[in-house]
Amino acid sequence: MKVYLSVDMEGVTGLTDPEEMHAGKRGYERGCELMTADANAAIEGAFASGATSVLVNDAHGSTKNLRIDLLDPRASLIRGPGKAQRMAQGLDATFQAACFVGYHARAGVPHGVLNHTWMGKEIQNVYLNGELCGETRLVAACAGFHGVPVVLVTGDEAVGEEARELLGDVETVAVKKGIDKFSAELLPPVVAQARIREATRRALDRLTDFTPYSVEAPYTLGVEWNSTAIAAAVSLIPGVTAVGPRQTEFTTGDFTQIMALFGIFATIGGQIACGSGPYG
């Protein structure tokens, strides 16, 4: 049984501060250790359930956050930028299950700790085939495109609710309960990671209960940006059309193009926002 882990950071045990997500900022190094510990808990649960291999993808920001020296040696790690499939890099039809660790609620969700969709402030909302879409839905749809079911989602309470609404009886672990976007009631790491370990094992023990999350093709990605400048810039990409002053759309029959496009969006959007001062 091959198991795929996509590991984000905002939903990791113990983390609530944006500085903990960025290299060089206060608390980042400890954040990387906690992120790796959450990933290890899922890896341990997977092997306890009979996994033959586990592939871990560092899916946060720079994608250079997970500590390979602390990672369970039975797993392998995809690390570093330039990954065409970003949060789903390495995922294909050879896997029997996908697990999302350290995920967070989509932009605008009340009490969602560090809630956002793909970019922290440049994107207001994302839509997939006309419906609001967070990162959980986006990566689950990519897994479904490859015929792989999502069996586990860990993060805060809000992303667990989002995952269950989307995926049904998926296993979830709430490692924190949001108070506001930057505050939460936290479980101690030893407690949270024990729950992740057990939930992963439990999910894979009932693998036949799960079906891939299916979105009907063609796939239309809609993005509502916070800036007319970003919308204008990304609409220059072939295939991307402006459908409003701050809205763009892209339609394809190949979901891997959706994932790749988000990487280009992040590069362009981040450059424009960061280079335009107080008006970004």
Side-chain angles (χ1 to χ4, degrees):
M1 175 173 56
K2 290 182 63 178
V3 178
Y4 179 85
L5 264 62
S6 176
V7 186
D8 205 355
M9 198 168 188
E10 287 86 359
V12 161
T13 299
L15 305 185
T16 61
D17 189 333
E19 290 202 351
E20 296 167 332
M21 314 292 146
H22 294 92
K25 300 292 187 179
R26 176 175 51 85
Y28 172 73
E29 295 301 331
R30 178 57 177 151
C32 292
E33 294 174 1
L34 289 165
M35 182 183 182
T36 308
D38 277 11
N40 279 341
I43 295 166
E44 290 164 10
F47 279 106
S49 184
T52 55
S53 68
V54 176
L55 177 64
V56 181
N57 179 37
D58 189 327
H60 174 74
S62 68
T63 66
K64 297 184 290 184
N65 313 284
L66 286 168
R67 289 277 302 272
I68 186 63
D69 57 317
L70 300 178
L71 195 72
D72 189 311
R74 295 171 293 180
S76 57
L77 173 66
I78 297 176
R79 180 181 188 272
K83 302 185 296 191
Q85 292 300 287
R86 303 288 167 154
M87 295 184 77
Q89 185 67 36
L91 179 57
D92 60 29
T94 65
F95 289 89
Q96 281 70 58
C99 302
F100 299 166
V101 175
Y103 270 51
H104 55 83
R106 67 176 182 265
V109 172
H111 310 303
V113 183
L114 298 166
N115 70 81
H116 67 281
T117 303
W118 203 267
M119 303 183 75
K121 58 185 176 61
E122 292 83 2
I123 290 177
Q124 198 76 3
N125 284 301
V126 171
Y127 300 88
L128 181 59
N129 288 6
E131 297 181 4
L132 271 173
C133 179
E135 292 170 26
T136 299
R137 184 168 187 239
L138 184 76
V139 187
C142 186
F145 178 75
H146 294 296
V148 181
V150 177
V151 303
L152 171 79
V153 178
T154 82
D156 68 342
E157 278 193 355
V159 77
E161 293 168 1
E162 187 178 324
R164 290 189 296 274
E165 180 181 343
L166 180 73
L167 303 172
D169 189 26
V170 64
E171 292 285 345
T172 61
V173 179
V175 303
K176 48 194 160 187
K177 179 180 181 180
I179 297 170
D180 200 351
K181 186 169 184 174
F182 304 115
S183 57
E185 179 182 343
L186 307 172
L187 289 180
V190 65
V191 176
Q193 288 149 17
R195 293 184 184 181
I196 293 171
R197 188 180 306 111
E198 175 58 25
T200 308
R201 185 199 60 76
R202 191 166 57 242
L204 294 172
D205 281 351
R206 62 181 190 93
L207 184 57
T208 56
D209 291 347
F210 299 100
T211 57
Y213 175 65
S214 178
V215 177
E216 187 175 351
Y219 312 107
T220 296
L221 175 70
V223 180
E224 179 187 0
W225 301 92
N226 76 350
S227 165
T228 55
I230 297 175
V234 300
S235 66
L236 297 174
I237 300 170
V240 178
T241 59
V243 294
R246 294 188 296 114
Q247 292 83 36
T248 58
E249 284 188 354
F250 173 79
T251 300
T252 179
D254 181 354
F255 204 91
T256 64
Q257 293 183 353
I258 298 284
M259 300 304 296
L261 186 64
F262 255 120
I264 300 171
F265 278 177
T267 300
I268 295 174
Q271 184 64 34
I272 291 173
C274 294
S276 53
Y279 294 98

